[in-house]
């Protein structure tokens, strides 16, 4: 957990602020830009690299993730840096490039384990350069050891921690799960319409089939195929759009290939120049509008509820939160507790009937719960589950009531 560790160190000097975590993502995203450009220039030339960099920098999903206190962009950025350094090593055989690439890939996987998919384009580069003799090269075995052994040790340790300590949950467990077709159709639809925009997807599709045959970067074709398999196999885990983040550089490369190949043809025709400018302006407008969707204040009421809990409850309070498993209320309240309904310390969905909610609440009260809270998206529980509302009238005192949340103190 490198990012929260570094943030915790900085907190000691500047206090706890979300920008500390966001800055890490911004800096590592920025650091990846020249390496991404150099990587694409090596494979496709300068014109395609400029276009690819433009699309990589302004895809909505990339804009959102590169400003978030999350490990996804730092991990992706380090993998792109490692991929470029590895490509340079295959050309020069300089040991410092191999060691630097291995260190970058190792950190990328340590930060977020699905980034191990970067092994697919790395393998493509190795086999393109050395053929099957790559399997007999000590340098590549050293690279693999540096890139993978620290992660194997860390994730084994993390798994043992999850086994020994409440709530006995290894983060990400359950993500490897096939889902119905409608699930994947939703992911595809959101990827095209929001995460990348329909214009970037159209250009990337064109780049797959149109362009100079000698400039077809197979490593991105294989990386894209590996991502599709990952999305299918880790179906439930891909409910979050940032798990598809590697599609941003992949799509950007293919879109850049098409634009780079078409550039000379377009520049010699005035009408096509005007159309191309309008097309790119359309991408910018789409990117702006779709990026705004990622910044909808879906948890604003949870934040207000958390701040109210922090101000009006003792520091040792244990809170039962009807919050659909969103941790926002606990973060801003600086209180511990449970998502409601609860099972083995994890959110277990909303009640089927009132009896489920009452049983769960009483179980948590026996374990020390002092408050139960509802916010705007769960206030309907108090109307729909009549018996639960009646039970709260006798088992709790309504401490704070607003149109956006309610706080009950358990008797």
């Amino acid at each position: 957990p490198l990012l929260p560790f570094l943030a915790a160190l900085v907190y000691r000097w500047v206090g706890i602020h979300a920008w500390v975590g966001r800055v890490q993502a911004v800096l590592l995203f920025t650091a990846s830009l020249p390496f991404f450009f150099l990587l694409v220039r090596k494979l496709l030339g300068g014109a395609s690299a400029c276009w690819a960099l433009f699309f990589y920098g302004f895809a909505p999903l990339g804009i959102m993730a590169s400003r978030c206190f999350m490990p996804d962009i730092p991990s992706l950025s380090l993998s792109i840096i490692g991929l470029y350094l590895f490509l340079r090593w295959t050309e020069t055989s300089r040991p410092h490039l191999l060691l630097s690439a291995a260190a970058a890939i190792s950190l990328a996987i340590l930060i977020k384990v699905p980034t191990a998919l970067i092994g697919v384009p790395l393998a493509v580069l190795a086999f393109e350069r050395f053929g099957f003799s790559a399997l007999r090269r000590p340098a590549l075995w050293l690279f693999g050891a540096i890139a993978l052994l620290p992660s194997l040790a860390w994730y084994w340790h993390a798994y043992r921690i999850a086994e020994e300590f409440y709530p006995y949950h290894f983060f990400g467990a359950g993500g490897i799960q096939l889902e119905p077709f409608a699930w994947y159709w939703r992911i595809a639809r959101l990827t095209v319409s929001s995460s990348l925009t329909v214009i970037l997807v159209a250009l990337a599709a064109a780049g797959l089939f149109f362009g100079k045959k000698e400039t077809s970067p197979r490593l991105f074709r294989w990386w894209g195929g590996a991502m599709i398999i990952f999305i299918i196999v880790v179906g439930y885990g891909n409910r979050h759009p940032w798990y598809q983040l590697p599609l941003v550089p992949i799509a950007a490369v293919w879109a850049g290939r098409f634009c780079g190949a078409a550039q000379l043809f377009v520049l010699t025709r005035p009408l096509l120049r005007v159309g191309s400018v309008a097309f790119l302006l359309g991408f910018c407008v789409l990117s702006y509008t779709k990026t705004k969707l990622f910044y909808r204040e879906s948890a604003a009421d949870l934040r207000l509820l958390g701040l109210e809990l922090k101000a009006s409850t003792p520091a040792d309070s244990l809170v039962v939160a009807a919050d659909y498993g969103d941790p926002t209320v606990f973060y801003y309240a600086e209180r511990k507790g449970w998502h409601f309904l609860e099972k083995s310390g994890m959110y277990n969905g909303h009640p089927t009937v009132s009896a489920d909610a009452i049983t769960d609440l009483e179980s948590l009260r026996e374990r020390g719960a002092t408050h139960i809270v509802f916010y705007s998206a769960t206030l309907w529980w108090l109307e729909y589950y009549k018996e639960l509302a009646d039970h709260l009238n006798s088992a709790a005192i309504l401490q704070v009531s607003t149109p956006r949340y309610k706080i009950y103190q358990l008797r």
Side-chain angles (χ1 to χ4, degrees):
L2 183 63
L3 270 71
F5 175 73
L6 293 175
L9 293 180
V10 178
Y11 286 166
R12 295 171 67 91
W13 292 292
V14 303
I16 299 175
H17 302 285
W19 63 261
V20 174
R22 294 179 187 274
V23 162
Q24 295 182 71
V26 171
L27 291 177
L28 280 165
F29 173 71
T30 305
S32 75
L33 296 177
F35 290 93
F36 181 72
F37 172 80
L38 293 171
L39 174 66
V40 182
R41 189 176 70 174
K42 276 282 180 186
L43 299 170
L44 297 174
S48 294
C50 288
W51 286 111
L53 186 66
F54 169 71
F55 293 122
Y56 175 60
F58 292 100
L61 181 60
I63 293 175
M64 182 275 290
S66 62
R67 277 79 173 164
C68 284
F69 190 178
M70 297 195 304
D72 302 79
I73 273 288
S75 183
L76 177 64
S77 298
L78 287 166
S79 67
I80 289 172
I81 292 170
L83 187 59
Y84 170 74
L85 293 173
F86 187 81
L87 172 63
R88 293 287 293 126
W89 174 78
T90 62
E91 297 173 336
T92 65
S93 297
R94 293 176 181 172
H96 73 278
L97 290 173
L98 182 71
L99 294 175
S100 299
I105 297 297
S106 182
L107 279 174
I109 300 173
L110 280 165
I111 291 173
K112 194 171 180 72
V113 71
T115 308
L117 284 176
I118 196 66
V120 173
L122 288 168
V124 171
L125 285 176
F127 281 106
E128 281 185 342
R129 174 66 176 83
F130 304 112
F132 282 99
S133 68
L135 299 173
R136 300 192 300 271
R137 290 186 169 269
L140 288 174
W141 284 99
L142 175 63
F143 175 87
I146 295 173
L148 296 177
L149 289 181
S151 292
L152 289 174
W154 163 250
Y155 287 110
W156 173 250
H157 166 70
Y159 175 72
R160 295 300 302 273
I161 291 292
E163 280 190 324
E164 294 177 18
F165 293 94
Y166 180 83
Y168 312 106
H169 175 73
F170 186 70
F171 193 82
I176 301 176
Q177 182 176 317
L178 296 176
E179 298 290 343
F181 174 79
W183 180 274
Y184 299 109
W185 177 247
R186 175 181 172 275
I187 292 174
R189 182 165 45 82
L190 291 176
T191 300
V192 172
S193 65
S194 301
S195 298
L196 301 178
T197 75
V198 67
I199 291 178
L200 178 53
V201 171
L203 291 174
L208 276 169
F209 301 104
F210 300 102
K212 295 180 180 179
K213 197 169 184 180
E214 62 273 16
T215 61
S216 178
R218 284 193 291 174
L219 67 96
F220 283 97
R221 195 182 296 271
W222 281 85
W223 194 7
M227 275 301 302
I228 292 172
I229 295 173
F230 170 75
I231 291 169
I232 294 172
V233 175
V234 189
Y236 184 67
N238 274 277
R239 65 194 183 277
H240 301 305
W242 44 87
Y243 276 80
Q244 297 104 55
L245 189 62
L247 292 177
V248 172
I250 294 168
V253 166
W254 292 112
R257 180 182 186 235
F258 175 76
C259 291
Q263 181 171 300
L264 184 60
F265 181 77
V266 170
L267 288 175
T268 58
R269 291 161 175 80
L271 284 177
L272 287 179
R273 285 206 302 266
V274 174
S276 299
V277 170
F279 202 63
L280 290 174
L281 287 175
F283 170 74
C284 293
V285 171
L286 266 180
S287 178
Y288 174 73
T289 56
K290 298 303 182 181
T291 300
K292 286 179 68 177
L293 296 177
F294 287 113
Y295 287 91
R296 287 177 297 186
E297 294 184 344
S298 59
D301 289 349
L302 284 172
R303 175 180 175 273
L304 291 175
L305 171 57
L307 293 173
E308 178 63 38
L309 282 169
K310 182 179 178 181
S312 63
T313 63
D316 60 350
S317 298
L318 294 177
V319 179
V320 179
D323 57 6
Y324 294 115
D326 190 315
T328 302
V329 65
F330 295 103
Y331 177 79
Y332 284 100
E334 298 181 17
R335 302 290 185 268
K336 295 182 179 181
W338 302 267
H339 302 295
F340 188 55
L341 300 178
E342 176 269 352
K343 183 179 180 181
S344 301
M346 307 301 297
Y347 173 61
N348 194 38
H350 63 263
T352 305
V353 294
S354 289
D356 294 339
I358 294 170
T359 300
D360 199 47
L361 176 60
E362 289 306 307
S363 172
L364 294 174
R365 185 158 63 157
E366 289 177 4
R367 293 160 66 181
T370 59
H371 295 78
I372 181 169
V373 298
F374 301 83
Y375 79 113
S376 53
T378 55
L379 286 175
W380 65 271
W381 290 23
L382 300 174
E383 298 179 5
Y384 185 81
Y385 302 108
K386 300 292 187 182
E387 292 85 354
L388 172 62
D390 293 339
H391 181 76
L392 287 173
N393 288 334
S394 61
I397 300 169
L398 182 58
Q399 187 173 335
V400 180
S401 178
T402 76
R404 306 178 80 168
Y405 54 80
K406 291 184 185 293
I407 299 174
Y408 290 86
Q409 182 177 357
L410 296 171
R411 296 182 188 274

